[in-house]
Amino acid sequence: MAYDKFTVLKSTCVPLPLENVDTDQIIPARFLKATKREAFGDNLFRDWRYNNDDSPKEDFVLNNDTYSGKVLVAGRNFGSGSSREHAAWAIYDYGFRCVISSFFADIFKGNSLNIGILPVTVSPEFLDKIFKDIEKDPNAQVEVNLPTQTVTLVSTGESESFEINGYKKNNMVNGFDDIDYLQAMKEEIGSFEAARPF
Amino acid sequence: MSKTLFDKVWDAHVVRSIEDGPDVFFIDRHFIHEVTSPVAFLGLESRGVGVIFPERTFATADHNTPTINQHLPVEDPLSANQLRALEGNSAKYGISHWGLGHQKNGIVHVVGPENGITLPGMTIVCGDSHTSTHGAFGAIAFGIGTSEVEMVLSSQCIMQPKPKKMKITVNGKLGKAVTPKDVVLYVIAQISAAGATGYFVEYAGDVFENMSMEGRMTVCNMTIEMGARGGMIAPDETTFAYLKGREMSPKGEDWEKLLKYWATLKTDDDAVFDKELTYTAEEIEPQITYGTNPGLGTSISSTIPKASDVIDGEASYKKSLNYMGFAEGESIIGKEVDYVFIGSCTNGRIEDFRAFASIVKGRKKADNVTAWLVPGSHIVEAQIKEEGLLDIFTEAGFVLRQPGCSACLAMNDDKVPAGKLAVSTSNRNFEGRQGPNSRTLLASPLVAAAAAVSGKVSDPRGFMD
């Protein structure tokens, strides 16, 4: 699946200051019945976003026009639970390109990197600064720079570096994916397979 | 250099190590189901690539299959469409497919082991986080996303950075009514739902050495709920006895040769883990959750902890209790229960139904409880009948349904209604997991049985001789 290249993203943020946001909340199981990757963004955070009669819940952040942007800022342990890549698709299809948190669940992080969402892990202190910055000014921006691996609060210039392995960084900067890489080493994989004991 | 069990299996599967990047990691067995595979197959088509080793992939329909009237066409058109896609894709690429009605059909993590597809020393993946179940056999097994499903189909490999290693030891003798589910719920409650994120867990100690294969599967199944990618237990005589003679287990010389290899699959005495935790069996009581993640659980006789005593942030903890309709300091015992679910890849095996039967035998289902008894596979269903458990259930007023994931994630019609409280032997109590606005308490089959006959959360020890 091709995705947009990611280099530098300067954007306002959508704050979701809750811990342990699991993938069942990001996209409930009943919306996983598609056989194509289409319209998952419509059901992003479905049960937090809409009432039973499909009217928007006014107190949920995605229904608050004050906040918008391509960066979702979330509390600790974001994306726990199911391995459903649909959760990452919903976030991407809604329009987010980056999620910032102090801690991500492993599978969600992997899925995000594979489809072109950059998960940025910052310290709890820096996360708190971002939340406070947005609270003070909903138009506050962050700049996420993948080549230099830094995230900066535009209002104050405060900055923190984040980690990503070189291979994944290269993929995201260039819009490559793993399947291109693996297809190029099929012969090596074939020899490996032939020597397996089972 | 000394290695852990995890190192030994991992290192044997690295096709290539990428500098400052992941390993190209070979996968021995790949399970697929109807929900997370269709988009992967579309990806293959759009790239114009095929399935590299179709005999290494197995397909079963489980996530949104009905648990009644499986002989009839599936009513939900979207579910039916996914099931057709799985069948069509499997046929097109030459993949074994155990669809609805097939005698081997059932939940992917139940049918893999019971048919001898899962073996020690293997790497196993599936687009489902509870793939960690197969670690019970000394395999490295974990859940993957759909992009990775496409990678495995097309290349039999994924790109995977090696996780850190954690050892969890439990020694001692488990008390009355304390099951493998209680052991793992206890550990998750101690370290939180994120306590093992970034790690792969190896379980050690006499509690796991003395545990049945089915119990070990329950423990490894739930390891994902502490944030770990998976858990594993060194293969031993219990493992080999379970596997010997299963339909797809190796036979004859192949079996003897593998036994020699499998005997080497244990952690070297001086191998080093990144983190080690040790618990005492005698401190574990029957467990139950009260919040909206599996880490928010406690002993059944305890009260709901105060926000200041839990690891989770206060905002999410209060949201959690508010959702459940519970308050800090309340007793969990005595809460009226509307639904009881026994089944899922965590507790849908024969031992779980035996445990459930041990309490309901000679008693009656409580009138206020709707009970869903859902075997993990047709093989389990047949065992329930052969062993006379069905008669016990029927006499007590219960009905046995047909196999599938069912109310664990409620993708089919088995949904707990809004506001209703369910005691469930499944693995997740997230908001809306068993149906929009439903409320779930995770517990063992014994706790579920006690709730089913008493109509409220009850200590199973009071129902046993």
Side-chain angles (χ1 to χ4, degrees):
Chain A
M1 191 82 197
Y3 55 81
D4 297 342
K5 295 176 185 180
F6 194 115
T7 48
V8 181
L9 176 66
K10 196 171 163 184
S11 172
T12 50
C13 305
V14 176
L16 188 63
L18 274 178
E19 294 85 7
N20 300 310
V21 174
D22 61 77
T23 51
D24 272 76
Q25 308 318 311
I26 299 172
I27 184 92
R30 63 188 188 280
F31 299 111
L32 309 185
K33 294 190 181 187
T35 52
K36 290 178 182 161
R37 183 182 154 180
E38 284 174 354
F40 284 102
D42 297 346
N43 293 315
L44 174 65
F45 292 115
R46 179 79 200 192
D47 292 338
W48 287 357
R49 197 168 147 198
Y50 297 104
N51 293 304
N52 287 343
D53 63 0
D54 291 339
S55 61
K57 290 185 178 176
E58 282 176 17
D59 59 350
F60 187 60
V61 69
L62 294 192
N63 297 323
N64 184 343
D65 291 342
T66 312
Y67 301 103
S68 65
K70 294 187 173 197
V71 177
L72 178 66
V73 187
R76 190 175 183 279
N77 196 26
F78 187 79
S80 58
S82 158
S83 61
R84 59 186 71 161
E85 195 169 291
H86 312 65
W89 297 342
I91 288 172
Y92 187 97
D93 294 350
Y94 182 84
F96 292 116
R97 290 293 173 272
C98 173
V99 183
I100 300 176
S101 178
S102 57
F103 194 89
F104 287 94
D106 275 335
I107 302 181
F108 176 81
K109 189 157 94 180
N111 286 342
S112 296
L113 287 165
N114 283 338
I115 68 152
I117 298 169
L118 183 66
V120 173
T121 308
V122 296
S123 65
E125 295 74 28
F126 199 75
L127 185 71
D128 200 43
K129 276 184 188 167
I130 302 175
F131 279 132
K132 288 201 168 117
D133 203 35
I134 307 167
E135 198 182 344
K136 208 165 71 189
D137 175 13
N139 294 314
Q141 290 187 313
V142 294
E143 184 179 284
V144 182
N145 187 317
L146 179 54
T148 63
Q149 295 177 220
T150 50
V151 51
T152 307
L153 288 173
V154 174
S155 63
T156 64
E158 279 177 282
S159 180
E160 193 172 89
S161 61
F162 61 87
E163 285 182 28
I164 182 171
N165 73 54
Y167 169 85
K168 278 291 176 194
K169 176 175 165 180
N170 186 53
N171 269 5
M172 287 204 81
V173 168
N174 293 296
F176 294 161
D177 75 10
D178 292 337
I179 296 181
D180 301 332
Y181 187 99
L182 291 168
Q183 283 299 308
M185 56 181 289
K186 264 184 145 172
E187 215 167 295
E188 194 178 338
I189 294 169
S191 315
F192 192 92
E193 196 270 347
R196 294 300 304 144
F198 30 60
Chain B
M1 198 183 125
S2 298
K3 287 184 170 190
T4 68
L5 165 64
F6 176 73
D7 291 325
K8 289 178 185 179
V9 180
W10 184 280
D11 295 350
H13 290 84
V14 175
V15 182
R16 184 192 283 181
S17 278
I18 299 173
E19 206 187 323
D20 192 22
D23 288 335
V24 177
F25 192 62
F26 186 84
I27 303 303
D28 292 308
R29 291 283 182 271
H30 182 204
F31 293 110
I32 58 173
H33 59 84
E34 73 274 22
V35 176
T36 57
S37 68
V39 172
F41 281 106
L42 284 183
L44 293 184
E45 271 174 41
S46 68
R47 286 172 201 268
V49 299
V51 174
I52 185 168
F53 301 119
E55 67 281 8
R56 290 185 176 275
T57 294
F58 297 83
T60 183
D62 56 4
H63 274 61
N64 62 30
T65 53
T67 55
I68 51 166
N69 294 326
Q70 289 187 351
H71 61 292
L72 297 177
V74 174
E75 278 180 25
D76 179 341
L78 293 175
S79 296
N81 192 36
Q82 276 196 332
L83 296 170
R84 265 196 308 275
L86 184 71
E87 185 177 8
N89 286 323
S90 300
K92 179 174 172 183
Y93 293 102
I95 293 165
S96 294
H97 172 245
W98 300 343
L100 213 52
H102 193 289
Q103 58 164 355
K104 285 189 166 46
N105 177 253
I107 305 175
V108 56
H109 311 307
V110 176
V111 302
E114 75 184 1
N115 285 288
I117 301 173
T118 300
L119 299 176
M122 281 184 164
T123 50
I124 300 171
V125 295
C126 171
D128 183 288
S129 57
H130 293 104
T131 310
S132 60
T133 310
H134 307 268
F137 292 81
I140 291 180
F142 53 86
I144 56 174
T146 297
S147 295
E148 290 167 312
V149 172
E150 188 182 337
M151 281 178 221
V152 181
L153 290 170
S154 59
S155 69
Q156 209 59 42
C157 292
I158 58 171
M159 308 290 254
Q160 195 63 40
K162 191 174 178 181
K164 289 184 285 185
K165 292 164 285 186
M166 183 187 288
K167 184 179 179 184
I168 295 179
T169 306
V170 186
N171 281 315
K173 196 171 176 303
L174 293 174
K176 187 176 173 182
V178 178
T179 69
K181 180 68 163 288
D182 299 299
V183 174
V184 71
L185 282 173
Y186 174 84
V187 174
I188 300 168
Q190 302 306 305
I191 68 174
S192 91
T197 303
Y199 292 89
F200 211 95
V201 170
E202 180 179 342
Y203 292 98
D206 49 23
V207 163
F208 303 108
E209 285 163 19
N210 295 330
M211 202 177 268
S212 70
M213 283 315 296
E214 300 202 348
R216 294 178 189 182
M217 282 188 251
T218 300
V219 169
C220 289
N221 173 282
M222 291 287 290
T223 307
I224 182 71
E225 307 306 339
M226 56 186 86
R229 285 311 291 275
M232 67 198 303
I233 295 172
D236 59 9
E237 290 305 322
T238 305
T239 322
F240 309 142
Y242 177 95
L243 286 171
K244 196 170 170 64
R246 301 236 164 215
E247 188 167 331
M248 295 167 82
S249 289
K251 311 272 182 319
E253 262 181 54
D254 289 344
W255 174 261
E256 296 303 325
K257 219 161 103 184
L258 282 172
L259 273 183
K260 288 198 185 94
Y261 169 53
W262 291 341
T264 69
L265 294 179
K266 52 176 72 119
T267 293
D268 296 332
D269 288 340
D270 46 354
V272 179
F273 289 84
D274 298 291
K275 191 170 183 177
E276 295 198 33
L277 299 170
T278 302
Y279 301 100
T280 308
E282 286 76 7
E283 287 176 8
I284 308 174
E285 285 186 76
Q287 301 285 302
I288 195 155
T289 64
Y290 54 84
T292 56
N293 74 58
L296 298 176
T298 186
S299 299
I300 194 159
S301 59
S302 299
T303 53
I304 294 171
K306 296 204 161 61
S308 51
D309 294 335
V310 296
I311 307 171
D312 285 44
E314 202 164 313
S316 73
Y317 187 70
K318 290 203 163 143
K319 184 177 192 305
S320 183
L321 289 192
N322 183 48
Y323 180 87
M324 294 301 291
F326 295 165
E328 296 173 46
E330 267 190 326
S331 167
I332 311 167
I333 281 189
K335 292 206 175 286
E336 195 161 307
V337 170
D338 306 297
Y339 282 74
V340 168
F341 171 58
I342 172 166
S344 85
C345 57
T346 312
N347 284 121
R349 298 181 177 80
I350 189 62
E351 285 180 8
D352 303 315
F353 287 93
R354 286 180 195 143
F356 192 83
S358 73
I359 283 185
V360 306
K361 187 175 184 179
R363 295 191 170 92
K364 292 285 179 198
K365 183 183 80 63
D367 290 338
N368 60 309
V369 168
T370 301
W372 288 326
L373 279 55
V374 186
S377 71
H378 282 303
I379 292 177
V380 174
E381 184 183 22
Q383 285 173 307
I384 289 171
K385 291 174 181 167
E386 279 160 23
E387 294 185 12
L389 303 181
L390 181 59
D391 298 331
I392 295 171
F393 297 149
T394 308
E395 278 166 31
F398 295 95
V399 175
L400 188 68
R401 297 173 84 89
Q402 291 172 298
C405 294
S406 181
C408 174
L409 81 169
M411 276 195 79
N412 66 356
D413 290 335
D414 304 344
K415 291 177 174 58
V416 175
K420 298 293 182 187
L421 190 67
V423 170
S424 175
T425 64
S426 57
N427 39 55
R428 289 189 172 135
N429 51 351
F430 297 146
E431 287 185 27
R433 173 77 178 179
Q434 296 194 276
N437 289 309
S438 63
R439 301 180 295 149
T440 299
L441 307 179
L442 300 175
S444 75
L446 292 175
V447 172
V453 296
S454 66
K456 53 192 185 198
V457 177
S458 305
D459 192 325
R461 289 170 289 199
F463 293 77
M464 297 165 76
D465 299 331

